[in-house]
Amino acid sequence: MFDKLSIRYKLVVLLSLSLGLGLLVSALVALYSTWVAERQSSLRALHQIAAITSENMRAALAFEDRQSAAKLLSPLHTDAHILYAWVQDASGQVWGQYYAPQVMPTQIADWTAELAPLAQRDAAAGGQGLQQMRSQWHYVIHPVAFEGQHIGAVVILADNTAVYAKMWRFIALQGGASVVIFMAVLLLAWWLQRIFTRPILDLLAAMRTIARTKDYAMVLNTHHTDEFSGLYAGFNAMLQEIRARDEQLSRLATTDALTGLANRGHILHVLHDVALRGQRQGTCLGMVLLDIDHFKRVNDSHGHPAGDLVLREVAGILQAHLRPYDRLGRFGGEEFFIVCDGAGEDATAEVAERIRAAVANHGFCLADGQTTLHVTVSLGVWAGPADPQTLGAGMEAADRALYQAKQGGRDRVGRASACDQL
């Protein structure tokens, strides 16, 4: 889906996603930091209350005054978030307690059963005190000491409604601010992408027009003075270079530079076209694969210029002895390929034999004007019904026939198969 969007929409989407991710990460970091701060603040406030209560509770526990212990807890009702509080002596016996009106007896029993053993263990460990935040409530256990001895503990438990209320207010504020920022930056991104993408889209449109019309004389103009100006200048320079090299590349794509014949790629393309036409007309197709015998000796004995001369003159002999509608190309190295349109085996072999004799009777006069070379060629012939699907097999058969001609002594024509004359 994303790949189908235009570059301007991709830019807006990427900017929006980047902004959204940044806002989300910053909001989560701020939310976590606020939660930690509020948690610490709530525990610290409860700890201060427990510390004051513990200080006041020393005399009551020291003199075993249960009535005073209970009275010292009663002021906790002024804090609506405190749910339950009690004081116990060093042995764990409860001397006084306070609980909010909405607290159920079962809750009191559960809290006491859970926190009283913690107070006992804290007392056994030296009375350092404990505090913890749970999902619905938090508590503080504060030791009571008298003259350096641990004589009991104060346990206070409060709900988390105040903490959650502050967190929800923060989330609403943070969320609203994030939405406003996101919409503002989204509008800005939409405006900016039009500035940045317009030159690219114009360039893309020009490229499509050139690709469709092949009009490399087009020149793109721009009013930009930034990097886009260099991009347009480079594009125009590229078009100019393409115009200068287009004809040359066209020739190189289809022509062998040394002989002027069709190159391997072009002659194979011609072969395919001839086969398609012959298939529609129901005619035969002949192929001749030719190789100059002992060509390496020519290069080794007389140099590569002599070899090039032989290749050019062989190409001329081939052109002179083909039928007007036969096609010729250089296959590579010292190999040539002939497409005999509408020819059966006998007609194709006749063309090959005529070429073989002409080359054998030709004298190749070298550049020094004193040396004349004589070379021969071996040829492999295949002919069969014109069919693009069998071209590969036909070429392989012609290649095998050429190999047999070389194995049989060279300077001869090898046949691969037969096709009746039409």
Side-chain angles (χ1 to χ4, degrees):
M1 181 63 182
F2 185 74
D3 293 338
K4 297 180 180 179
L5 296 176
S6 67
I7 187 172
R8 58 170 53 183
Y9 295 118
K10 286 180 181 178
L11 183 59
V12 173
V13 170
L14 290 176
L15 288 174
S16 302
L17 289 177
S18 301
L19 173 63
L21 182 60
L23 290 174
L24 178 61
V25 172
S26 63
L28 291 176
V29 171
L31 183 63
Y32 177 75
S33 301
T34 303
W35 163 253
V36 171
E38 290 298 326
R39 173 179 176 275
Q40 294 299 327
S41 177
S42 297
L43 288 173
R44 184 166 53 251
L46 196 62
H47 184 78
Q48 291 173 352
I49 295 173
I52 295 173
T53 304
S54 174
E55 186 71 21
N56 296 333
M57 199 65 68
R58 288 180 180 179
L61 288 179
F63 293 102
E64 298 181 357
D65 187 353
R66 294 176 180 272
Q67 186 176 4
S68 297
K71 288 182 179 180
L72 289 171
L73 294 176
S74 60
L76 297 177
H77 76 276
T78 58
D79 191 331
H81 298 293
I82 295 179
L83 300 176
Y84 182 43
W86 77 88
V87 60
Q88 64 185 47
D89 59 16
S91 64
Q93 184 178 2
V94 176
W95 281 51
Q97 61 181 0
Y98 160 79
Y99 53 87
Q102 70 271 21
V103 175
M104 304 297 293
T106 55
Q107 293 177 299
I108 294 175
D110 292 340
W111 290 334
T112 304
E114 180 179 354
L115 300 181
L118 295 179
Q120 285 293 98
R121 285 198 292 270
D122 179 63
Q128 300 298 318
L130 296 173
Q131 62 181 24
Q132 188 176 12
M133 177 76 76
R134 300 289 181 83
S135 61
Q136 299 298 326
W137 46 271
H138 57 285
Y139 68 88
V140 169
I141 299 175
H142 197 284
V144 180
F146 182 73
E147 295 183 352
Q149 294 184 353
H150 181 80
I151 60 173
V154 173
V155 183
I156 302 179
L157 183 145
D159 62 32
N160 294 338
T161 55
V163 177
Y164 289 143
K166 290 181 180 179
M167 293 303 299
W168 281 116
R169 286 195 297 271
F170 175 80
I171 291 174
L173 179 62
Q174 181 74 21
S178 297
V179 170
V180 172
I181 294 173
F182 182 82
M183 295 304 298
V185 176
L186 184 62
L187 292 175
L188 179 62
W190 178 259
W191 179 70
L192 289 176
Q193 61 83 21
R194 299 184 64 183
I195 297 177
F196 288 112
T197 60
R198 173 51 57 188
I200 299 176
L201 295 177
D202 291 343
L203 183 61
L204 181 61
M207 291 173 62
R208 289 173 176 169
T209 301
I210 293 171
R212 184 180 67 255
T213 63
K214 307 301 180 184
D215 180 16
Y216 299 115
M218 179 181 294
V219 177
L220 302 183
N221 298 315
T222 179
H223 64 277
H224 290 273
T225 58
D226 52 14
E227 287 80 359
F228 285 118
S229 176
L231 180 62
Y232 274 62
F235 186 77
N236 288 329
M238 181 184 66
L239 291 179
Q240 184 177 2
E241 183 178 353
I242 290 175
R243 289 195 298 271
R245 298 176 60 184
D246 189 42
E247 293 185 2
Q248 178 184 2
L249 291 176
S250 179
R251 289 193 299 270
L252 292 176
T254 58
T255 306
D256 175 62
L258 178 63
T259 62
L261 302 178
N263 60 18
R264 183 187 184 98
H266 186 54
I267 192 62
L268 290 178
H269 180 74
V270 170
L271 172 64
H272 187 266
D273 290 344
V274 171
L276 283 176
R277 185 176 65 253
Q279 186 180 43
R280 291 193 300 268
Q281 297 174 354
T283 60
C284 284
L285 171 68
M287 303 183 195
V288 178
L289 191 61
L290 178 150
D291 186 88
I292 300 175
D293 297 327
H294 301 297
F295 183 73
K296 186 175 183 301
R297 294 180 184 176
V298 176
N299 284 329
D300 293 343
S301 301
H302 304 281
H304 289 282
D308 292 344
L309 181 144
V310 170
L311 289 172
R312 286 194 296 269
E313 292 196 13
V314 167
I317 294 172
L318 295 177
Q319 289 177 308
H321 290 81
L322 292 179
R323 301 176 304 173
Y325 38 83
D326 291 337
R327 307 296 181 88
L328 171 64
R330 183 183 177 190
F331 230 42
E334 65 271 24
E335 287 188 336
F336 296 84
F337 186 71
I338 303 168
V339 181
C340 297
D341 188 5
E345 181 182 348
D346 291 340
T348 305
E350 181 181 346
V351 171
E353 179 60 30
R354 187 164 59 245
I355 291 171
R356 183 205 64 76
V359 174
N361 295 327
H362 182 78
F364 297 85
C365 184
L366 300 187
D368 59 10
Q370 300 178 357
T371 305
T372 301
L373 297 179
H374 290 276
V375 299
T376 60
V377 294
S378 298
L379 304 96
V381 171
W382 176 90
D387 184 358
Q389 301 298 324
T390 63
L391 293 180
M395 292 177 65
E396 292 178 0
D399 188 62
R400 289 193 297 269
L402 172 61
Y403 178 77
Q404 292 172 359
K406 285 184 171 293
Q407 291 295 106
R410 294 184 172 83
D411 189 23
R412 62 188 61 208
V413 176
R415 295 192 182 192
S417 63
C419 177
D420 295 334
Q421 294 286 340
L422 297 181

